[in-house]
């Protein structure tokens, strides 16, 4: 934060172009913040997909592979005595 304040105060003594330089500096900071937020969103999305897949595989390991309609028809029916 101190570095940003030093740059901001240093841009003030440049002359009449100081306002343009400060606007460019603010746009740079906004763009940097945007990039960081997009990167965080991407990491969260990838992590959520990875977690979802991991939980699906865990469910298959715990419960076994779900049977499809073809496998249910070909199985002999068990009778209860």
């Amino acid at each position: 934060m101190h570095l940003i304040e030093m740059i901001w105060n240093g841009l003030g003594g440049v002359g009449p172009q100081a306002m343009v330089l400060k606007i460019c500096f603010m746009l740079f900071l906004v763009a940097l913040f945007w990039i960081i937020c997009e990167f965080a969103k991407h990491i969260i999305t990838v992590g959520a997909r990875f977690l979802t897949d991991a939980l699906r595989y865990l469910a298959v390991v715990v419960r076994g592979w779900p049977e499809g309609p073809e496998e249910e028809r070909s199985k002999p029916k068990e009778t209860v005595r």
Side-chain angles (χ1 to χ4, degrees):
M1 190 66 187
H2 185 66
L3 179 65
I4 294 173
E5 186 180 350
M6 283 176 27
I7 294 171
W8 184 259
N9 290 334
L11 289 175
V14 179
Q17 296 86 8
M19 192 63 164
V20 175
L21 288 174
K22 284 188 175 187
I23 289 172
C24 289
F25 183 64
M26 285 190 292
L27 287 175
F28 169 75
L29 291 178
V30 168
L32 188 65
F33 180 71
W34 184 284
I35 290 170
I36 290 169
C37 288
E38 287 294 325
F39 180 70
K41 184 174 78 170
H42 176 72
I43 293 297
I44 290 170
T45 302
V46 169
R49 287 181 185 169
F50 176 73
L51 183 63
T52 301
D53 288 342
L55 290 175
R56 283 182 184 162
Y57 291 134
L58 179 64
V60 168
V61 168
V62 170
R63 296 186 313 198
W65 191 260
E67 294 180 359
E70 295 84 21
E71 295 172 356
E72 291 175 0
R73 277 189 262 139
S74 63
K75 246 184 174 178
K77 300 288 182 184
E78 295 180 18
T79 56
V80 179
R81 295 183 185 170

PDB file of all heavy atoms in Angstrom, residues 41-60:
ATOM      1  N   LYS A  41     -11.613 -16.703  -9.534  1.00  0.00           N
ATOM      2  CA  LYS A  41     -12.844 -17.362  -9.998  1.00  0.00           C
ATOM      3  C   LYS A  41     -12.516 -18.658 -10.740  1.00  0.00           C
ATOM      4  O   LYS A  41     -13.189 -19.672 -10.548  1.00  0.00           O
ATOM      5  CB  LYS A  41     -13.623 -16.408 -10.901  1.00  0.00           C
ATOM      6  CG  LYS A  41     -14.956 -16.947 -11.360  1.00  0.00           C
ATOM      7  CD  LYS A  41     -15.737 -15.904 -12.135  1.00  0.00           C
ATOM      8  CE  LYS A  41     -15.205 -15.809 -13.538  1.00  0.00           C
ATOM      9  NZ  LYS A  41     -16.046 -14.991 -14.430  1.00  0.00           N
ATOM     10  N   HIS A  42     -11.476 -18.616 -11.566  1.00  0.00           N
ATOM     11  CA  HIS A  42     -11.067 -19.813 -12.305  1.00  0.00           C
ATOM     12  C   HIS A  42     -10.596 -20.911 -11.349  1.00  0.00           C
ATOM     13  O   HIS A  42     -10.977 -22.078 -11.510  1.00  0.00           O
ATOM     14  CB  HIS A  42      -9.951 -19.448 -13.285  1.00  0.00           C
ATOM     15  CG  HIS A  42      -9.388 -20.613 -14.014  1.00  0.00           C
ATOM     16  ND1 HIS A  42     -10.083 -21.272 -14.996  1.00  0.00           N
ATOM     17  CD2 HIS A  42      -8.192 -21.264 -13.898  1.00  0.00           C
ATOM     18  CE1 HIS A  42      -9.345 -22.271 -15.453  1.00  0.00           C
ATOM     19  NE2 HIS A  42      -8.199 -22.276 -14.804  1.00  0.00           N
ATOM     20  N   ILE A  43      -9.798 -20.548 -10.365  1.00  0.00           N
ATOM     21  CA  ILE A  43      -9.303 -21.534  -9.395  1.00  0.00           C
ATOM     22  C   ILE A  43     -10.461 -22.144  -8.610  1.00  0.00           C
ATOM     23  O   ILE A  43     -10.507 -23.360  -8.378  1.00  0.00           O
ATOM     24  CB  ILE A  43      -8.279 -20.879  -8.444  1.00  0.00           C
ATOM     25  CG1 ILE A  43      -7.023 -20.492  -9.217  1.00  0.00           C
ATOM     26  CG2 ILE A  43      -7.930 -21.787  -7.280  1.00  0.00           C
ATOM     27  CD1 ILE A  43      -6.276 -21.650  -9.835  1.00  0.00           C
ATOM     28  N   ILE A  44     -11.435 -21.337  -8.226  1.00  0.00           N
ATOM     29  CA  ILE A  44     -12.593 -21.848  -7.480  1.00  0.00           C
ATOM     30  C   ILE A  44     -13.422 -22.774  -8.357  1.00  0.00           C
ATOM     31  O   ILE A  44     -13.881 -23.832  -7.907  1.00  0.00           O
ATOM     32  CB  ILE A  44     -13.426 -20.680  -6.930  1.00  0.00           C
ATOM     33  CG1 ILE A  44     -12.656 -19.975  -5.819  1.00  0.00           C
ATOM     34  CG2 ILE A  44     -14.783 -21.149  -6.445  1.00  0.00           C
ATOM     35  CD1 ILE A  44     -13.272 -18.679  -5.373  1.00  0.00           C
ATOM     36  N   THR A  45     -13.611 -22.428  -9.629  1.00  0.00           N
ATOM     37  CA  THR A  45     -14.386 -23.265 -10.549  1.00  0.00           C
ATOM     38  C   THR A  45     -13.695 -24.609 -10.763  1.00  0.00           C
ATOM     39  O   THR A  45     -14.335 -25.664 -10.694  1.00  0.00           O
ATOM     40  CB  THR A  45     -14.567 -22.549 -11.892  1.00  0.00           C
ATOM     41  OG1 THR A  45     -15.221 -21.300 -11.654  1.00  0.00           O
ATOM     42  CG2 THR A  45     -15.397 -23.378 -12.851  1.00  0.00           C
ATOM     43  N   VAL A  46     -12.403 -24.580 -11.013  1.00  0.00           N
ATOM     44  CA  VAL A  46     -11.658 -25.826 -11.219  1.00  0.00           C
ATOM     45  C   VAL A  46     -11.669 -26.667  -9.949  1.00  0.00           C
ATOM     46  O   VAL A  46     -11.857 -27.889  -9.990  1.00  0.00           O
ATOM     47  CB  VAL A  46     -10.221 -25.522 -11.686  1.00  0.00           C
ATOM     48  CG1 VAL A  46      -9.358 -26.765 -11.658  1.00  0.00           C
ATOM     49  CG2 VAL A  46     -10.236 -24.921 -13.076  1.00  0.00           C
ATOM     50  N   GLY A  47     -11.502 -26.026  -8.813  1.00  0.00           N
ATOM     51  CA  GLY A  47     -11.539 -26.757  -7.545  1.00  0.00           C
ATOM     52  C   GLY A  47     -12.894 -27.380  -7.278  1.00  0.00           C
ATOM     53  O   GLY A  47     -12.981 -28.514  -6.783  1.00  0.00           O
ATOM     54  N   ALA A  48     -13.957 -26.659  -7.608  1.00  0.00           N
ATOM     55  CA  ALA A  48     -15.303 -27.208  -7.396  1.00  0.00           C
ATOM     56  C   ALA A  48     -15.554 -28.406  -8.311  1.00  0.00           C
ATOM     57  O   ALA A  48     -16.146 -29.402  -7.890  1.00  0.00           O
ATOM     58  CB  ALA A  48     -16.342 -26.132  -7.634  1.00  0.00           C
ATOM     59  N   ARG A  49     -15.104 -28.307  -9.569  1.00  0.00           N
ATOM     60  CA  ARG A  49     -15.264 -29.454 -10.479  1.00  0.00           C
ATOM     61  C   ARG A  49     -14.458 -30.650  -9.991  1.00  0.00           C
ATOM     62  O   ARG A  49     -14.933 -31.796 -10.034  1.00  0.00           O
ATOM     63  CB  ARG A  49     -14.818 -29.075 -11.884  1.00  0.00           C
ATOM     64  CG  ARG A  49     -15.784 -28.164 -12.581  1.00  0.00           C
ATOM     65  CD  ARG A  49     -15.312 -27.845 -13.973  1.00  0.00           C
ATOM     66  NE  ARG A  49     -16.195 -26.876 -14.601  1.00  0.00           N
ATOM     67  CZ  ARG A  49     -15.929 -26.252 -15.715  1.00  0.00           C
ATOM     68  NH1 ARG A  49     -14.794 -26.488 -16.344  1.00  0.00           N
ATOM     69  NH2 ARG A  49     -16.779 -25.388 -16.213  1.00  0.00           N
ATOM     70  N   PHE A  50     -13.247 -30.402  -9.537  1.00  0.00           N
ATOM     71  CA  PHE A  50     -12.413 -31.490  -9.024  1.00  0.00           C
ATOM     72  C   PHE A  50     -13.056 -32.131  -7.800  1.00  0.00           C
ATOM     73  O   PHE A  50     -13.099 -33.356  -7.683  1.00  0.00           O
ATOM     74  CB  PHE A  50     -11.024 -30.948  -8.664  1.00  0.00           C
ATOM     75  CG  PHE A  50     -10.127 -31.979  -8.050  1.00  0.00           C
ATOM     76  CD1 PHE A  50      -9.574 -32.977  -8.827  1.00  0.00           C
ATOM     77  CD2 PHE A  50      -9.845 -31.936  -6.705  1.00  0.00           C
ATOM     78  CE1 PHE A  50      -8.757 -33.931  -8.263  1.00  0.00           C
ATOM     79  CE2 PHE A  50      -9.023 -32.886  -6.132  1.00  0.00           C
ATOM     80  CZ  PHE A  50      -8.473 -33.883  -6.910  1.00  0.00           C
ATOM     81  N   LEU A  51     -13.581 -31.310  -6.895  1.00  0.00           N
ATOM     82  CA  LEU A  51     -14.226 -31.838  -5.701  1.00  0.00           C
ATOM     83  C   LEU A  51     -15.477 -32.634  -6.062  1.00  0.00           C
ATOM     84  O   LEU A  51     -15.721 -33.708  -5.489  1.00  0.00           O
ATOM     85  CB  LEU A  51     -14.581 -30.690  -4.755  1.00  0.00           C
ATOM     86  CG  LEU A  51     -15.199 -31.079  -3.427  1.00  0.00           C
ATOM     87  CD1 LEU A  51     -14.217 -31.910  -2.608  1.00  0.00           C
ATOM     88  CD2 LEU A  51     -15.604 -29.842  -2.664  1.00  0.00           C
ATOM     89  N   THR A  52     -16.263 -32.153  -7.023  1.00  0.00           N
ATOM     90  CA  THR A  52     -17.464 -32.874  -7.452  1.00  0.00           C
ATOM     91  C   THR A  52     -17.099 -34.235  -8.042  1.00  0.00           C
ATOM     92  O   THR A  52     -17.725 -35.244  -7.708  1.00  0.00           O
ATOM     93  CB  THR A  52     -18.230 -32.044  -8.487  1.00  0.00           C
ATOM     94  OG1 THR A  52     -18.572 -30.793  -7.900  1.00  0.00           O
ATOM     95  CG2 THR A  52     -19.489 -32.748  -8.932  1.00  0.00           C
ATOM     96  N   ASP A  53     -16.092 -34.259  -8.912  1.00  0.00           N
ATOM     97  CA  ASP A  53     -15.666 -35.533  -9.493  1.00  0.00           C
ATOM     98  C   ASP A  53     -15.132 -36.480  -8.430  1.00  0.00           C
ATOM     99  O   ASP A  53     -15.406 -37.686  -8.459  1.00  0.00           O
ATOM    100  CB  ASP A  53     -14.604 -35.310 -10.565  1.00  0.00           C
ATOM    101  CG  ASP A  53     -15.185 -34.691 -11.821  1.00  0.00           C
ATOM    102  OD1 ASP A  53     -16.414 -34.742 -11.992  1.00  0.00           O
ATOM    103  OD2 ASP A  53     -14.389 -34.161 -12.632  1.00  0.00           O
ATOM    104  N   ALA A  54     -14.378 -35.963  -7.487  1.00  0.00           N
ATOM    105  CA  ALA A  54     -13.830 -36.801  -6.424  1.00  0.00           C
ATOM    106  C   ALA A  54     -14.951 -37.405  -5.580  1.00  0.00           C
ATOM    107  O   ALA A  54     -14.908 -38.587  -5.219  1.00  0.00           O
ATOM    108  CB  ALA A  54     -12.877 -35.990  -5.550  1.00  0.00           C
ATOM    109  N   LEU A  55     -15.971 -36.602  -5.277  1.00  0.00           N
ATOM    110  CA  LEU A  55     -17.094 -37.124  -4.487  1.00  0.00           C
ATOM    111  C   LEU A  55     -17.908 -38.145  -5.286  1.00  0.00           C
ATOM    112  O   LEU A  55     -18.414 -39.120  -4.721  1.00  0.00           O
ATOM    113  CB  LEU A  55     -17.980 -35.983  -4.008  1.00  0.00           C
ATOM    114  CG  LEU A  55     -17.351 -35.094  -2.932  1.00  0.00           C
ATOM    115  CD1 LEU A  55     -18.266 -33.921  -2.614  1.00  0.00           C
ATOM    116  CD2 LEU A  55     -17.039 -35.892  -1.684  1.00  0.00           C
ATOM    117  N   ARG A  56     -18.030 -37.957  -6.610  1.00  0.00           N
ATOM    118  CA  ARG A  56     -18.722 -38.959  -7.436  1.00  0.00           C
ATOM    119  C   ARG A  56     -17.969 -40.276  -7.430  1.00  0.00           C
ATOM    120  O   ARG A  56     -18.560 -41.342  -7.287  1.00  0.00           O
ATOM    121  CB  ARG A  56     -18.867 -38.446  -8.862  1.00  0.00           C
ATOM    122  CG  ARG A  56     -19.942 -37.432  -9.028  1.00  0.00           C
ATOM    123  CD  ARG A  56     -20.049 -36.999 -10.471  1.00  0.00           C
ATOM    124  NE  ARG A  56     -21.042 -35.939 -10.608  1.00  0.00           N
ATOM    125  CZ  ARG A  56     -21.125 -35.145 -11.629  1.00  0.00           C
ATOM    126  NH1 ARG A  56     -20.280 -35.267 -12.639  1.00  0.00           N
ATOM    127  NH2 ARG A  56     -22.045 -34.212 -11.681  1.00  0.00           N
ATOM    128  N   TYR A  57     -16.657 -40.215  -7.603  1.00  0.00           N
ATOM    129  CA  TYR A  57     -15.859 -41.443  -7.581  1.00  0.00           C
ATOM    130  C   TYR A  57     -15.913 -42.113  -6.210  1.00  0.00           C
ATOM    131  O   TYR A  57     -15.959 -43.330  -6.107  1.00  0.00           O
ATOM    132  CB  TYR A  57     -14.418 -41.156  -7.981  1.00  0.00           C
ATOM    133  CG  TYR A  57     -14.268 -40.789  -9.428  1.00  0.00           C
ATOM    134  CD1 TYR A  57     -13.486 -39.711  -9.813  1.00  0.00           C
ATOM    135  CD2 TYR A  57     -14.913 -41.499 -10.436  1.00  0.00           C
ATOM    136  CE1 TYR A  57     -13.349 -39.356 -11.151  1.00  0.00           C
ATOM    137  CE2 TYR A  57     -14.793 -41.157 -11.769  1.00  0.00           C
ATOM    138  CZ  TYR A  57     -14.005 -40.086 -12.124  1.00  0.00           C
ATOM    139  OH  TYR A  57     -13.872 -39.739 -13.430  1.00  0.00           O
ATOM    140  N   LEU A  58     -15.925 -41.309  -5.152  1.00  0.00           N
ATOM    141  CA  LEU A  58     -16.045 -41.871  -3.816  1.00  0.00           C
ATOM    142  C   LEU A  58     -17.388 -42.574  -3.642  1.00  0.00           C
ATOM    143  O   LEU A  58     -17.457 -43.660  -3.049  1.00  0.00           O
ATOM    144  CB  LEU A  58     -15.888 -40.767  -2.767  1.00  0.00           C
ATOM    145  CG  LEU A  58     -16.003 -41.205  -1.316  1.00  0.00           C
ATOM    146  CD1 LEU A  58     -14.873 -42.172  -0.975  1.00  0.00           C
ATOM    147  CD2 LEU A  58     -15.985 -40.010  -0.395  1.00  0.00           C
ATOM    148  N   ALA A  59     -18.458 -41.984  -4.184  1.00  0.00           N
ATOM    149  CA  ALA A  59     -19.779 -42.619  -4.095  1.00  0.00           C
ATOM    150  C   ALA A  59     -19.797 -43.934  -4.866  1.00  0.00           C
ATOM    151  O   ALA A  59     -20.407 -44.916  -4.416  1.00  0.00           O
ATOM    152  CB  ALA A  59     -20.851 -41.680  -4.630  1.00  0.00           C
ATOM    153  N   VAL A  60     -19.124 -43.995  -6.012  1.00  0.00           N
ATOM    154  CA  VAL A  60     -19.066 -45.241  -6.776  1.00  0.00           C
ATOM    155  C   VAL A  60     -18.283 -46.293  -6.002  1.00  0.00           C
ATOM    156  O   VAL A  60     -18.665 -47.462  -5.966  1.00  0.00           O
ATOM    157  CB  VAL A  60     -18.441 -44.985  -8.169  1.00  0.00           C
ATOM    158  CG1 VAL A  60     -18.098 -46.291  -8.859  1.00  0.00           C
ATOM    159  CG2 VAL A  60     -19.396 -44.176  -9.024  1.00  0.00           C
TER     160      VAL A  60
END
